[in-house]
Amino acid sequence: MDLKGKNLSSLILLSLCWTLGLAQEPDSLLTKSGELLIGEIQSLNRAVLVFETSYSDADFRIDWEEVERITTQGNYKIYDTEGKQFIGKLGPGGDCTDCLTIYTSKDTIIRKLPDIVVITEAQESFRDRLKLGIHLGYNYTKASRTQQFTSRSSAGFVGNKWDIASALNAYNTRLDSTSTKRTDANINLRVSMRNNWYGFGNVDWLSSDEQQLDLRTTASTGVGNFVVRNADTYLYLFGGLTFNNEDFLGDEGVESQSFEGLIGGQLELFGFSDISLNSKLYAYPSLTEKQRIRTMFSLDLKWEFISDFELMAGFSLNYDSKPPGDTEKSDYVLSLTLGWSL
């Protein structure tokens, strides 16, 4: 082959590689500030869009409210505020400047940007569906010679129509040679239904020296609804039935079983750049013990100061209106931890 033929072959090969490279990075994103990114959407969750490009070592993390337009060639799973799921491509919203068009295999749907709350790959990997987190903390107060050790961990997995989550929190407070412990754990299964409704099953465990509670095990089931589900706020309310088994410490070693109702809610706010808030409230009115109601409240405030690394302040309160004997009615914990999440 002569020199001219070799040059032509090289040019064709380079053009083919360049074309294949573009085919592997088909998505484009335009921000409201005029920045154009070419690459691939990784996810949209909790008002943050993760976008990967070939010219940056780290993925771009863009506030959803800063997105002007998206165009994709590949299919994605898209969820809106009504809980509806679509699988298709994304494109500009035409005459609606604050909209995106979803091109499915059957329909063309237009949604306003704030009404789209989740975007994931059509075929997510196991790692993309896995959620992990661990936080550790240590506090020392010189005046009272008090030390507190805190460990908080979580794990979960997200399926197409269901998700499962678990958590384990351990608190150990020491004053000189005296130690007070509290440990709680839970595992929660949620199955999506129509119109933002879902069914759930929970198992919770609690051990508290303050309330002389050796172990409380509660198993709950019921239904809930996403009352608010948009790009920066989740609010859901739920209700159901609970079976409660308790084993108290002390000379009497009281053990009891009861049935309870369950009414509660959860609020998640994540539209504040790197700061998010998660609050839960559960009320358990007893169905078998007169004038007894238990409540649990928690509030967690997170600041993601570096990608995947967080500073978290937490408050947790457990209340029982009718504990056995002279046991304390309430027990609360304040914590400040540093951790990592996936």
Side-chain angles (χ1 to χ4, degrees):
M1 182 182 294
D2 58 14
L3 184 59
K4 184 181 294 186
K6 289 182 178 180
N7 289 339
L8 182 58
S9 299
S10 299
L11 183 59
I12 293 173
L13 181 60
L14 286 172
S15 299
L16 179 61
C17 292
W18 180 77
T19 302
L20 289 174
L22 288 179
Q24 293 172 353
E25 295 187 335
D27 302 342
S28 65
L29 182 151
L30 180 66
T31 67
K32 291 182 179 178
S33 61
E35 295 177 276
L36 178 64
L37 301 179
I38 305 297
E40 183 178 0
I41 295 174
Q42 297 298 299
S43 66
L44 167 66
N45 195 25
R46 287 173 165 76
V48 175
L49 181 75
V50 180
F51 197 88
E52 180 185 29
T53 67
S54 61
Y55 45 84
S56 176
D57 294 334
D59 293 343
F60 289 90
R61 300 172 65 86
I62 305 159
D63 290 341
W64 186 234
E65 62 182 12
E66 296 300 320
V67 173
E68 179 76 20
R69 187 178 71 241
I70 292 175
T71 302
T72 72
Q73 297 300 322
N75 288 330
Y76 290 88
K77 288 181 185 176
I78 302 109
Y79 299 83
D80 66 9
T81 54
E82 298 177 359
K84 295 179 180 179
Q85 173 186 304
F86 309 96
I87 298 179
K89 301 178 177 65
L90 289 166
D95 295 335
C96 178
T97 58
D98 194 31
C99 297
L100 287 177
T101 302
I102 305 170
Y103 300 96
T104 71
S105 59
K106 297 181 180 179
D107 300 303
T108 299
I109 304 104
I110 295 179
R111 286 288 185 271
K112 288 188 175 182
L113 279 159
D115 292 337
I116 296 176
V117 294
V118 175
I119 299 174
T120 65
E121 296 179 6
Q123 299 294 330
E124 294 178 275
S125 66
F126 178 85
R127 183 183 181 279
D128 292 332
R129 295 173 179 263
L130 187 64
K131 309 297 179 183
L132 299 173
I134 184 167
H135 294 77
L136 301 174
Y138 172 77
N139 300 320
Y140 175 71
T141 305
K142 181 179 179 181
S144 59
R145 302 190 304 279
T146 302
Q147 302 178 77
Q148 179 178 309
F149 303 89
T150 304
S151 171
R152 306 186 65 181
S153 57
S154 61
F157 187 83
V158 180
N160 290 330
K161 291 289 185 179
W162 60 272
D163 62 86
I164 188 168
S166 62
L168 173 63
N169 305 307
Y171 310 92
N172 188 345
T173 302
R174 293 182 182 179
L175 175 58
D176 294 334
S177 60
T178 304
S179 177
T180 303
K181 298 180 180 179
R182 169 176 162 159
T183 304
D184 64 81
N186 60 72
I187 182 167
N188 307 315
L189 174 65
R190 184 168 56 191
V191 179
S192 299
M193 299 187 294
R194 292 184 177 182
N195 300 322
N196 277 329
W197 287 91
Y198 62 88
F200 68 85
N202 302 340
V203 180
D204 297 83
W205 298 269
L206 173 65
S207 175
S208 171
D209 289 348
E210 180 72 16
Q211 293 183 292
Q212 299 184 35
L213 183 61
D214 185 32
L215 181 63
R216 172 186 289 144
T217 303
T218 57
S220 307
T221 185
V223 295
N225 181 263
F226 283 90
V227 180
V228 178
R229 191 181 193 183
N230 57 41
D232 54 19
T233 304
Y234 284 1
L235 172 62
Y236 32 105
L237 304 177
F238 47 83
L241 294 174
T242 296
F243 174 74
N244 180 25
N245 183 85
E246 298 171 307
D247 188 5
F248 287 87
L249 299 168
D251 296 335
E252 299 179 1
V254 178
E255 183 175 358
S256 65
Q257 293 84 34
S258 62
F259 286 95
E260 302 169 322
L262 168 59
I263 304 171
Q266 182 169 349
L267 173 66
E268 297 182 52
L269 302 175
F270 32 80
F272 309 105
S273 185
D274 298 324
I275 297 176
S276 62
L277 180 146
N278 190 338
S279 181
K280 303 175 185 178
L281 176 62
Y282 297 77
Y284 300 90
S286 180
L287 302 177
T288 54
E289 298 181 60
K290 291 183 179 180
Q291 299 180 345
R292 186 187 185 190
I293 183 170
R294 297 188 303 106
T295 59
M296 290 191 297
F297 173 77
S298 67
L299 176 66
D300 291 324
L301 187 64
K302 294 182 182 180
W303 172 43
E304 187 178 11
F305 59 94
I306 303 176
S307 180
D308 296 333
F309 286 89
E310 305 165 329
L311 184 66
M312 179 167 64
F315 172 75
S316 177
L317 171 67
N318 182 66
Y319 173 79
D320 187 345
S321 68
K322 198 176 179 181
D326 297 328
T327 303
E328 291 287 339
K329 290 186 176 182
S330 63
D331 179 24
Y332 69 89
V333 174
L334 289 168
S335 64
L336 183 64
T337 57
L338 181 67
W340 165 89
S341 64
L342 174 64

